[in-house]
Amino acid sequence: MKQRKQYVIDRKFQLKHTFSVLGVVLVLVAVIIGIIGVNAAYNNNRLDNIMGIQDNIVDAMMAWVQNPAEKPQQTAIKAIAGKHFENLTTIKRIIRYNTILIGLIVVIVLLQSVVLYFVMIRMTHKISGPIFVMSKYFADIIDGKMPNPRKLRQGDELQDFYNLFTKMVEALKAREKKK
């Protein structure tokens, strides 16, 4: 039995259902990405504000210890400043990772969409194939020719319906012979 290379047989049916499923998935994912994106942008903005406030505090403390009378606190404030800059680096890294994560999610969704498109085309092909074959046989019967139905491919849908169709064709052939 010859395997078909063309997967889009009934363009209207297959693309309608493929894009319907794809559309629902993409809308849901867009909502999820939107929520994550808004949350990440809000948190990134808050982290930026915290960094600004902390910078101002450390700058004020550093200016304060420049006063020669405040030498005993200078060591403690320098330690605080060192920890502060360490924390700022960590916060900047978190902001960068948030941005990368959102981009990665978008890329994964796009790849998922492409994969889902091909999966849906293959799934609808397993329905469109049998309908295409039966439509050709119907056209033969309408033209007065009796078709010789072949078996469907393994994995095709509508097997029971197709078997009933082949029984009908056999019954029509039997009636034709009796005449």
Side-chain angles (χ1 to χ4, degrees), residues 17-154:
H17 286 82
T18 297
F19 287 126
S20 293
V21 169
L22 203 53
V24 168
V25 169
L26 287 177
V27 165
L28 291 174
V29 168
V31 168
I32 292 168
I33 288 175
I35 291 168
I36 292 171
V38 166
N39 186 45
Y42 176 72
N43 286 335
N44 287 352
N45 189 34
R46 286 176 54 202
L47 290 172
D48 276 338
N49 288 339
I50 290 169
M51 288 184 344
I53 291 167
Q54 291 300 313
D55 261 346
N56 291 339
I57 291 170
V58 170
D59 287 345
M61 289 172 73
M62 292 301 285
W64 180 66
V65 294
Q66 298 305 321
N67 182 349
E70 305 297 336
K71 282 288 187 202
Q73 291 87 1
Q74 193 172 17
T75 307
I77 291 177
K78 282 187 179 180
I80 290 171
K83 202 62 167 160
H84 166 73
F85 290 116
E86 215 177 278
N87 289 341
L88 288 182
T89 303
T90 301
I91 290 172
K92 287 176 185 175
R93 192 176 312 124
I94 290 169
I95 291 171
R96 189 171 56 250
Y97 287 158
N98 282 347
T99 305
I100 290 170
L101 183 62
I102 290 172
L104 186 62
I105 289 171
V106 169
V107 168
I108 288 171
V109 166
L110 292 175
L111 290 174
Q112 169 200 343
S113 298
V114 170
V115 168
L116 185 59
Y117 172 82
F118 287 109
V119 167
M120 287 300 300
I121 290 295
R122 283 199 47 101
M123 284 177 62
T124 57
H125 177 73
K126 291 179 180 194
I127 296 169
S128 292
I131 292 173
F132 178 78
V133 168
M134 286 187 282
S135 295
K136 289 220 177 265
Y137 292 153
F138 283 134
D140 286 347
I141 292 170
I142 290 169
D143 290 341
K145 300 180 243 168
M146 244 344 116
N148 290 319
R150 62 169 174 81
K151 283 189 163 258
L152 290 178
R153 296 169 302 212
Q154 186 177 1

